[in-house]
Amino acid sequence: MKEVRIGIIGTGVMGTDHARKFAGGIPGARLTALQDFDAARAASLAQELNATALAEADALIAHPEVDAVLICSPDATHAALGLKAIAAGKPVLIEKPPAAERREAEAILRAEMAAGRRLVQVGYMRRFDPGYAEMRRVLASGEVGAPLFLHCQHRNATSASYLTSELIIANSAGHEFDAARFLLGEEIATATVISPPTPQKAPGRQPQFIVLQSVSGTVVDIEVFTDARYGYDVRAELVGEEGTVALRPGPPTTLRQAARDGTVVPQDWRPRFNDAYRLQFERWVASILTGDRNEGSGAWDGYMTMLVTDACLKAWRSGQRVEVEQPERPAFYR
Ligand code: ISE
């Protein structure tokens, strides 16, 4: 294969952003097809980006001019569509979370193992963010010594109205679970979740404070506040025995003007993780062309993140510390 022809299912906020990135030039890739339940929305984007609009997701997956599928449809549809792409033998990048429940994440594992080759990548794009990649490199190099704490903050200006407190654990906090597994290079063993009072201006959702402990004992704390109002703000600091390494908050410059000194805070994740998304796609396409693996989340990572999500949900409902199940990793995923 000299070129990977990309079909995208779902042309909402993320599908549109991703489609523009592919149309703008991801080396080795060409955007060929788009599909959305809102046919007019898909058609207008397809016209703008010189792609074909298809009426059905199944038709896109089966299309002879689609070599690889990117799934950006609503969360609840991810797993079923991912399974169809695997059945068609096509590489598939599934936006996070890869499944709405554990049973579906297991089905993806089983289907991929039955296919006999790695076809699935999950869109936990922070693995490609230069800051997270550098934190991981520094920890692995031993410069900050053995890890003791990982402090994480996940603040959104606001979230979609359908995101309940529970869905936020899978949809938003899932990024933190994957990032913690990626940075620490090990599984999460336990979860505890508590919430402060519900903010008056976000009555449907409770902020969460999640405490995880990794298998070897590193403590990970995560603030998830999806209605922080002022903007999108993701932070992480890893504290080791010899030093710390952290993401640098904000842009590299500050602006003094009109009696203020400060920086602009983005309103959502697209500007903050623009490079991460682009690199994720570049490396996904390169992996399809060369057959080499990249550092992205695979089906196993998606499954383990789902198990951490499940433990957090139980912990949040019960107020208890909950153990994360530790299934044996199949040889296929080692
Ligand atoms: C959203 O779906 C994302 O993936 C963002 O990266 C995350 O920060 C946000 O909380 C999610 O709702």
Side-chain angles (χ1 to χ4, degrees):
M1 210 191 285
K2 287 213 175 64
E3 170 189 69
V4 184
R5 293 165 300 176
I6 307 288
I8 301 183
I9 300 176
T11 57
V13 173
M14 289 323 293
T16 297
D17 205 58
H18 294 344
R20 293 211 167 103
K21 280 198 171 53
F22 276 102
I26 297 291
R30 182 158 59 92
L31 178 71
T32 50
L34 296 169
Q35 185 275 336
D36 195 272
F37 69 89
D38 179 343
R41 182 163 74 175
S44 113
L45 190 64
Q47 191 180 20
E48 175 196 324
L49 303 180
N50 196 23
T52 303
L54 295 162
E56 301 294 336
D58 288 3
L60 182 139
I61 292 169
H63 200 280
E65 288 191 10
V66 169
D67 303 311
V69 181
L70 172 55
I71 299 175
C72 310
S73 48
D75 293 2
T77 65
H78 288 178
L81 293 169
L83 286 170
K84 287 182 180 175
I86 297 172
K90 296 192 178 178
V92 57
L93 201 163
I94 311 177
E95 257 300 351
K96 41 56 59 181
E101 51 177 75
R102 177 217 171 111
R103 197 176 37 84
E104 290 181 335
E106 266 169 10
I108 291 177
L109 287 185
R110 278 199 302 275
E112 191 179 46
M113 285 193 278
R117 65 192 175 109
R118 303 267 191 122
L119 290 168
V120 177
Q121 186 163 325
V122 180
Y124 287 117
M125 76 301 176
R126 290 188 188 179
R127 290 177 176 231
F128 300 93
D129 176 70
Y132 280 96
E134 175 64 2
M135 284 178 73
R136 185 174 194 244
R137 189 201 63 74
V138 168
L139 180 65
S141 73
E143 284 169 71
V144 294
L148 300 173
F149 298 102
L150 174 61
H151 304 297
C152 311
Q153 285 176 14
H154 186 136
R155 297 188 191 143
N156 298 77
T158 185
S159 277
S161 54
Y162 65 85
L163 285 177
T164 59
S165 306
E166 301 213 340
L167 281 178
I168 273 170
I169 292 184
N171 187 284
S172 299
H175 278 296
E176 309 296 335
F177 307 154
D178 185 70
R181 290 183 64 256
F182 173 67
L183 291 174
L184 301 175
E186 62 170 345
E187 299 301 345
I188 302 301
T190 63
T192 313
V193 185
I194 54 172
S195 290
T198 307
Q200 284 180 13
K201 290 193 171 155
R205 281 190 284 267
Q206 277 186 283
Q208 287 137 358
F209 192 76
I210 302 174
V211 180
L212 307 174
Q213 194 152 23
S214 74
V215 167
S216 73
T218 303
V219 173
V220 181
D221 63 86
I222 307 167
E223 173 201 310
V224 190
F225 183 19
T226 59
D227 297 276
R229 302 179 63 76
Y230 69 89
Y232 187 71
D233 197 2
V234 162
R235 300 183 188 207
E237 181 186 26
L238 197 127
V239 181
E241 291 182 20
E242 305 287 339
T244 79
V245 57
L247 298 177
R248 225 178 229 295
T253 52
T254 66
L255 177 67
R256 284 192 189 155
Q257 192 245 353
R260 284 178 183 246
D261 178 358
T263 62
V264 171
V265 181
Q267 287 306 291
D268 73 26
W269 53 90
R270 285 170 293 173
R272 166 64 183 86
F273 286 112
N274 187 54
D275 288 348
Y277 285 117
R278 185 179 44 77
L279 288 166
Q280 165 180 259
F281 296 141
E282 287 182 9
R283 304 221 179 123
W284 179 50
V285 168
S287 295
I288 296 170
L289 289 170
T290 60
D292 296 337
R293 289 208 194 134
N294 66 45
E295 62 272 53
S297 280
W300 177 256
D301 301 297
Y303 177 57
M304 291 309 295
T305 293
M306 186 91 231
L307 296 188
V308 180
T309 300
D310 275 2
C312 286
L313 286 169
K314 281 188 199 133
W316 187 67
R317 290 182 198 125
S318 66
Q320 304 293 309
R321 185 180 205 226
V322 172
E323 296 206 349
V324 179
E325 218 182 298
Q326 301 295 324
E328 197 184 330
R329 191 173 181 130
F332 184 82
Y333 290 112
R334 282 186 204 133

